[in-house]
Amino acid sequence: MSTRPYALDEQIGYLLRRVTQRHLAIFAQAIPEVTTTQFAVLARLSELGPQSQNHLGRETAMDAATIKGVVDRLARQGLVATAPDPDDRRRLTVALTAEGEALFRARIDTALGVSDSTLAPLTEAERQTLTDLLARLT
Amino acid sequence: MSTRPYALDEQIGYLLRRVTQRHLAIFAQAIPEVTTTQFAVLARLSELGPQSQNHLGRETAMDAATIKGVVDRLARQGLVATAPDPDDRRRLTVALTAEGEALFRARIDTALGVSDSTLAPLTEAERQTLTDLLARLT
DNA sequence: GGAAACCTGTTGGTGTGCGAACAATCCTGC
DNA sequence: GCAGGATTGTTCGCACACCAACAGGTTTCC
């Protein structure tokens, strides 16, 4: 019967949750208009242009049920607009509105600053190391 | 007008969300009885003994509203029990049940294996580096 | 050409997370 | 000894996040 101790504070899942908490708080403080997930959707739409809702979800790492809620809330704010795809009647095309594009552009620098603030306790080299290691765990 | 590009895939928040997703999926597969947050509560109760509900929340990085829901669901499963504190009538003391203690002990090794699986793409040295860097961002 | 397989979006249910507001209780300072 | 302030737990509302089940539409492949 093994009794390896379970050090909660050293578990990767617990650390991820706590760092995420801190990051979300910094983001919400800096950019109150939208959430991190909503901003990710704006970024991808700006980068890739109009996308079907499910495809947009895959591009932003959200399942079909989640992306629907996010798109609905963005549409309610007038930041994206949806339209049926004439070529495939199952699809719903999601596009940035002028307002959504404007908000995204206006907040890019702030959003990059949020990432910097989150990583503030680390040196430049350490930030790069962390980013690289995390990218290998996706 | 600056136009620094916004590389979503390199933003710390997006990376944290994706790595967390992968970790939660591995955990749910390996330990279907409870969630990661519920397991964290079991771990802290096992480590510290009975605690007031709010204090337990602080020890597991959850606010008062969140810890209440988690404790309620654990109580519904019979893994923890709550009792009023005779010395302070505001307080609700939360304690592991025998069943909760047994489940926690029985799943410790599996839970440590979940952390290993999450970190599987990294070498031992890289895992330590990542854990140390994340710990400095809490 | 038509059945099977697949894909798209929707809905309902469960479980975090957090802010804000509230009532009850406890503590502090005068 | 008591008024003001702090703490504890609760509730409500909002926003992810995922599973499972479903209905329609499209593709594949015989």
Side-chain angles (χ1 to χ4, degrees):
Chain A
M1 181 78 269
S2 105
T3 17
R4 277 204 278 171
Y6 186 76
L8 178 59
D9 302 279
E10 295 167 15
Q11 301 308 306
I12 182 69
Y14 188 63
L15 289 168
L16 287 169
R17 183 158 69 82
R18 295 192 55 195
V19 176
T20 298
Q21 279 176 355
R22 179 160 156 277
H23 175 257
L24 293 180
I26 294 170
F27 189 98
Q29 165 77 29
I31 305 185
E33 294 94 342
V34 294
T35 65
T36 54
T37 49
Q38 290 170 11
F39 196 79
V41 167
L42 298 184
R44 275 287 193 260
L45 285 177
S46 178
E47 174 190 353
L48 304 174
Q51 301 286 315
S52 87
Q53 184 174 280
N54 273 13
H55 186 244
L56 182 57
R58 285 190 292 274
E59 289 291 340
T60 50
M62 300 175 209
D63 80 342
T66 301
I67 189 66
K68 178 184 174 26
V70 176
V71 165
D72 283 354
R73 285 181 286 272
L74 283 172
R76 209 167 60 212
Q77 287 190 71
L79 300 176
V80 305
T82 58
D85 181 338
D87 294 339
D88 185 338
R89 296 177 26 224
R90 295 169 304 179
R91 284 200 170 94
L92 193 64
T93 299
V94 184
L96 279 182
T97 61
E99 196 186 340
E101 179 79 31
L103 177 66
F104 174 64
R105 286 188 184 288
R107 294 292 175 276
I108 288 181
D109 285 356
T110 307
L112 293 169
V114 168
S115 293
D116 282 349
S117 297
T118 299
L119 297 172
L122 305 184
T123 67
E124 195 54 50
E126 288 169 336
R127 295 177 195 202
Q128 192 59 53
T129 301
L130 177 63
T131 301
D132 291 348
L133 291 176
L134 285 176
R136 285 172 52 200
L137 296 184
T138 56
Chain B
M1 181 79 270
S2 107
T3 18
R4 275 205 279 171
Y6 186 76
L8 178 59
D9 301 279
E10 295 165 15
Q11 301 307 307
I12 183 68
Y14 188 63
L15 288 168
L16 287 168
R17 185 158 67 83
R18 294 193 54 195
V19 175
T20 298
Q21 278 176 356
R22 179 158 156 278
H23 175 256
L24 293 180
I26 294 171
F27 190 98
Q29 165 77 27
I31 305 184
E33 295 93 341
V34 293
T35 65
T36 54
T37 50
Q38 290 170 9
F39 196 79
V41 168
L42 298 184
R44 276 287 193 260
L45 285 176
S46 179
E47 173 190 353
L48 304 174
Q51 301 286 314
S52 87
Q53 185 174 279
N54 273 12
H55 186 245
L56 182 58
R58 286 190 290 274
E59 290 290 341
T60 50
M62 300 176 210
D63 81 342
T66 301
I67 188 67
K68 179 186 173 25
V70 176
V71 165
D72 283 354
R73 284 181 286 271
L74 283 171
R76 208 168 60 211
Q77 287 189 69
L79 300 175
V80 305
T82 58
D85 181 336
D87 294 338
D88 186 339
R89 288 164 45 214
R90 296 170 304 178
R91 283 201 170 93
L92 192 65
T93 299
V94 184
L96 278 181
T97 61
E99 196 186 339
E101 179 79 31
L103 177 65
F104 174 64
R105 286 188 184 288
R107 293 292 176 276
I108 288 182
D109 284 357
T110 306
L112 293 170
V114 168
S115 293
D116 282 349
S117 297
T118 298
L119 298 172
L122 305 183
T123 68
E124 195 55 50
E126 288 169 335
R127 295 177 195 201
Q128 193 59 52
T129 300
L130 177 64
T131 300
D132 291 347
L133 292 177
L134 285 176
R136 285 171 53 201
L137 296 184
T138 55

